[in-house]
């Protein structure tokens, strides 16, 4: 943008109570695209298999779970082929887990930029979460040969259910990243705790077991986990099961609340990021 010689750009701290400034994010959209492209290139630069790693992670997890939980433990899968049942649960979960792990450490990883150049700091966790969509896209493609292998025809509702489930997953991942990315700057020990918590969270989500296996008296407590409805909606879209619209609405509300409160907390600490890094 061209400025007249007499014009002066004044950068002032924004009110700490305000959430994400969408107008400012939009003005810096080209920089956001650059951050996403940078993260994608760094992730796969000088790797032998390249983007194949995006498929290998959920695929090998599916094979391990199918062997130990499907064949040895004989866990039920509500009439669905267990390998496909597991992979359908791993797809949204892997995207969510990578978004939380990458988003929580995004500011620390970009300390050299945060401490030297002005830009909306919220772009950093947004870019980290958005990068996971690239991995999800390639892993989703692998679902096609698995459906052919298991002779499963996805229902037309998948055209609606899968995008909705992933959109809710993105909102949840970004909302949590708003909180954690700011907290990690102040409390560096959280970098070691977050992957451990995410791993435990996975087993609290019906990925390797069906929700029907949870006793009825505990079903409501398990439903407080917003990723339960996301995983169930993703599976239901593929196998023609009823979609948990009320659960998806609950997960969406949780994600929006996390974004609003997390971005307010993020902006409160934003002015001190460069000092503590």
């Amino acid at each position: 943008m061209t400025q007249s010689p007499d014009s002066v750009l004044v950068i002032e701290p924004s009110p700490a109570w305000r959430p994400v400034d969408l107008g400012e994010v939009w003005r810096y959209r080209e920089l956001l695209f650059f951050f996403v492209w940078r993260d994608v290139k760094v992730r796969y630069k000088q790797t032998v298999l390249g983007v194949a790693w995006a498929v290998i992670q959920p695929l090998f997890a599916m094979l391990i779970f199918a062997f130990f939980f499907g064949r040895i433990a004989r866990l039920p899968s509500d009439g669905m082929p267990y390998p496909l049942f597991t992979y359908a649960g791993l797809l949204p979960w892997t995207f969510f887990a990578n978004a939380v792990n990458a988003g929580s450490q995004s500011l620390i990883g970009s300390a050299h930029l945060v401490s030297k150049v002005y830009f909306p700091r919220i772009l950093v966790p947004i870019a980290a979460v958005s990068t996971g969509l690239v991995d999800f896209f390639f892993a989703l493609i692998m679902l096609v040969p698995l459906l052919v292998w298991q002779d499963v025809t996805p229902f037309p509702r998948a055209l609606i259910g899968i995008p909705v489930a992933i959109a809710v997953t993105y909102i949840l991942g970004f909302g949590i990243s708003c909180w954690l990315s700011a907290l990690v700057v102040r409390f560096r020990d959280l970098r070691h705790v977050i992957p451990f918590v995410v791993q435990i969270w996975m087993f609290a989500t019906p990925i390797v077991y069906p929700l029907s296996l949870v006793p009825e008296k505990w079903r409501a407590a398990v439903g407080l986990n917003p990723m339960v409805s996301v995983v169930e909606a993703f599976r239901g879209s593929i196998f023609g099961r009823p979609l948990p619209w009320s659960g998806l609405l609950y997960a969406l509300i949780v994600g929006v609340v996390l974004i609003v409160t997390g971005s307010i907390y993020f902006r409160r600490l934003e002015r001190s990021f460069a000092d503590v890094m």
Side-chain angles (χ1 to χ4, degrees):
M1 182 175 64
T2 305
Q3 295 181 341
S4 63
D6 297 331
S7 63
V8 178
L9 176 63
V10 179
I11 301 175
E12 297 178 344
S14 58
W17 55 266
R18 288 179 55 187
V20 176
D21 188 343
L22 296 179
E24 189 177 37
V25 172
W26 176 252
R27 289 194 297 272
Y28 282 84
R29 61 190 181 278
E30 294 182 1
L31 181 60
L32 175 61
F33 175 80
F34 169 78
F35 283 161
V36 173
W37 180 242
R38 177 203 63 176
D39 291 345
V40 171
K41 289 199 301 182
V42 168
R43 180 173 299 184
Y44 299 116
K45 186 178 181 180
Q46 296 180 336
T47 58
V48 177
L49 299 178
V51 295
W53 287 111
V55 179
I56 290 174
Q57 182 180 1
L59 185 61
F60 272 66
M62 178 202 73
L63 294 174
I64 293 172
F65 291 156
F67 178 75
F68 286 102
F69 295 104
R71 287 191 173 271
I72 297 180
R74 299 288 182 180
L75 289 180
S77 56
D78 285 350
M80 297 172 258
Y82 192 85
L84 192 55
F85 168 86
T86 306
Y87 193 79
L90 282 169
L91 278 178
W93 174 259
T94 302
F95 171 47
F96 173 76
N98 289 340
V100 172
N101 286 325
S104 61
Q105 304 193 42
S106 57
L107 284 175
I108 296 297
S110 300
H112 58 292
L113 289 175
V114 173
S115 59
K116 294 179 181 179
V117 184
Y118 171 76
F119 60 91
R121 304 317 193 218
I122 199 68
L123 294 183
V124 179
I126 292 177
V129 175
S130 301
T131 302
L133 288 172
V134 178
D135 292 344
F136 171 79
F137 174 76
F138 287 108
L140 183 63
I141 293 176
M142 187 60 194
L143 182 63
V144 177
L146 290 175
L147 290 171
V148 175
W149 171 47
Q150 296 289 341
D151 194 23
V152 174
T153 302
F155 280 66
R157 71 179 62 178
L159 297 176
I160 298 176
I162 290 178
V164 170
I166 294 307
V168 174
T169 306
Y170 183 95
I171 292 172
L172 285 169
F174 174 55
I176 295 174
S177 296
C178 284
W179 277 100
L180 294 181
S181 59
L183 285 170
V184 165
V185 173
R186 297 192 64 182
F187 309 103
R188 302 298 174 90
D189 290 347
L190 284 176
R191 290 183 297 173
H192 309 291
V193 177
I194 292 170
F196 177 69
V197 172
V198 170
Q199 191 69 26
I200 295 177
W201 195 343
M202 185 190 74
F203 289 100
T205 306
I207 296 174
V208 299
Y209 58 89
L211 185 60
S212 60
L213 197 63
V214 178
E216 189 68 33
K217 62 180 180 179
W218 299 108
R219 199 88 45 96
V222 172
L224 294 176
N225 175 3
M227 283 303 296
V228 170
S229 298
V230 171
V231 171
E232 290 295 302
F234 201 93
R235 283 200 186 113
S237 300
I238 298 172
F239 295 103
R241 305 296 179 89
L243 300 185
W245 291 113
S246 59
L248 286 174
L249 179 60
Y250 162 74
L252 177 62
I253 293 173
V254 171
V256 171
V257 171
L258 286 171
I259 289 177
V260 173
T261 57
S263 59
I264 291 174
Y265 182 72
F266 187 98
R267 291 174 76 93
R268 285 188 60 187
L269 298 185
E270 184 177 15
R271 63 194 69 189
S272 64
F273 285 161
D275 298 328
V276 298
M277 285 184 180

